[in-house]
Amino acid sequence: MQTGLVHLHNLLRWIVLVLLVISIVKSYNGWKSKKVFTPGDKKIWLFTMISAHVTLLIGLYQWLAGRYGMLTTSLPEGTSVMKEKFYRFFWVEHPTGMILAVILITVGRGVVKKQIPDPVKYKKVFWFFLAALILILATIPWPGREIVGRSM
Ligand code: HEM
């Protein structure tokens, strides 16, 4: 089950990235061409948020109880998390970056419910989602990253 969850977490990364890029392009167009807000945009923002939340939940499980989870792994004698690059990445940097990104996506998507002009909605979503995308890209264990890199 553990391996399956890591694969699912990995696969969801692509779904989150594709939906985020589509949402960013659409919100930029809506903002710049002063479009009227459409149900299609509402749906794509919702799916982006849901995919991010599911990835977050699987990540939280791995963080605590996965094969390198904080509750299931003991660090080698005499080392500390912050000195060990692998554990610093998977216990601190990756979760912090990703949790912040999911908060940005959730807050950004929340503008749907606000009574504000449509171009302002698009503008807010654009900036929130762009910031989330940058954080996600920066904290993914891309192949080639020293020690923490994973295959795609
Ligand atoms: C949108 C959010 C996230 C994305 C896109 C993402 C992406 C990834 C990717 C691509 C991997 C490598 C998977 C592999 O080796 O096949 C990974 C591993 C991991 N992620 Fe995330 N992640 C996200 C959120 C989180 C969160 C919020 C946490 C913890 C709270 C987390 C904890 C972990 C852990 C512990 C691993 C290593 C799992 C293992 O090798 O056993 N992730 N993540």
Side-chain angles (χ1 to χ4, degrees):
M1 183 183 105
Q2 176 53 38
T3 320
L5 280 179
V6 178
H7 285 313
L8 185 59
H9 191 69
N10 186 339
L11 174 77
L12 278 164
R13 163 237 321 239
W14 296 111
I15 296 174
V16 173
L17 286 176
V18 168
L19 287 174
L20 257 183
V21 170
I22 296 173
S23 298
I24 289 169
V25 171
K26 279 173 135 297
S27 52
Y28 184 79
N29 287 337
W31 169 27
K32 289 297 170 186
S33 47
K34 298 190 171 38
K35 260 178 54 188
V36 176
F37 187 57
T38 67
D41 290 338
K42 194 172 163 181
K43 249 186 223 160
I44 200 116
W45 296 350
L46 177 67
F47 291 149
T48 307
M49 186 181 77
I50 293 172
S51 62
H53 282 187
V54 176
T55 316
L56 170 91
L57 285 179
I58 299 172
L60 282 173
Y61 171 79
Q62 292 177 146
W63 192 28
L64 295 172
R67 53 188 175 161
Y68 307 116
M70 292 195 296
L71 303 178
T72 47
T73 311
S74 346
L75 290 179
E77 191 101 350
T79 45
S80 77
V81 184
M82 297 315 274
K83 286 199 181 127
E84 187 71 48
K85 190 173 167 42
F86 182 86
Y87 288 101
R88 189 176 69 229
F89 180 80
F90 283 108
W91 285 8
V92 183
E93 295 167 0
H94 179 77
T96 308
M98 294 306 188
I99 289 169
L100 282 176
V102 177
I103 292 173
L104 286 169
I105 292 171
T106 310
V107 174
R109 188 258 158 193
V111 305
V112 165
K113 299 172 210 146
K114 294 227 165 95
Q115 298 297 322
I116 50 175
D118 290 350
V120 181
K121 276 187 190 174
Y122 282 121
K123 183 180 163 186
K124 281 183 185 266
V125 172
F126 172 78
W127 286 115
F128 274 103
F129 280 25
L130 183 66
L133 178 66
I134 292 169
L135 268 176
I136 291 176
L137 289 176
T139 44
I140 279 180
W142 294 109
R145 282 188 73 156
E146 207 188 325
I147 299 173
V148 300
R150 295 283 176 84
S151 60
M152 296 211 275

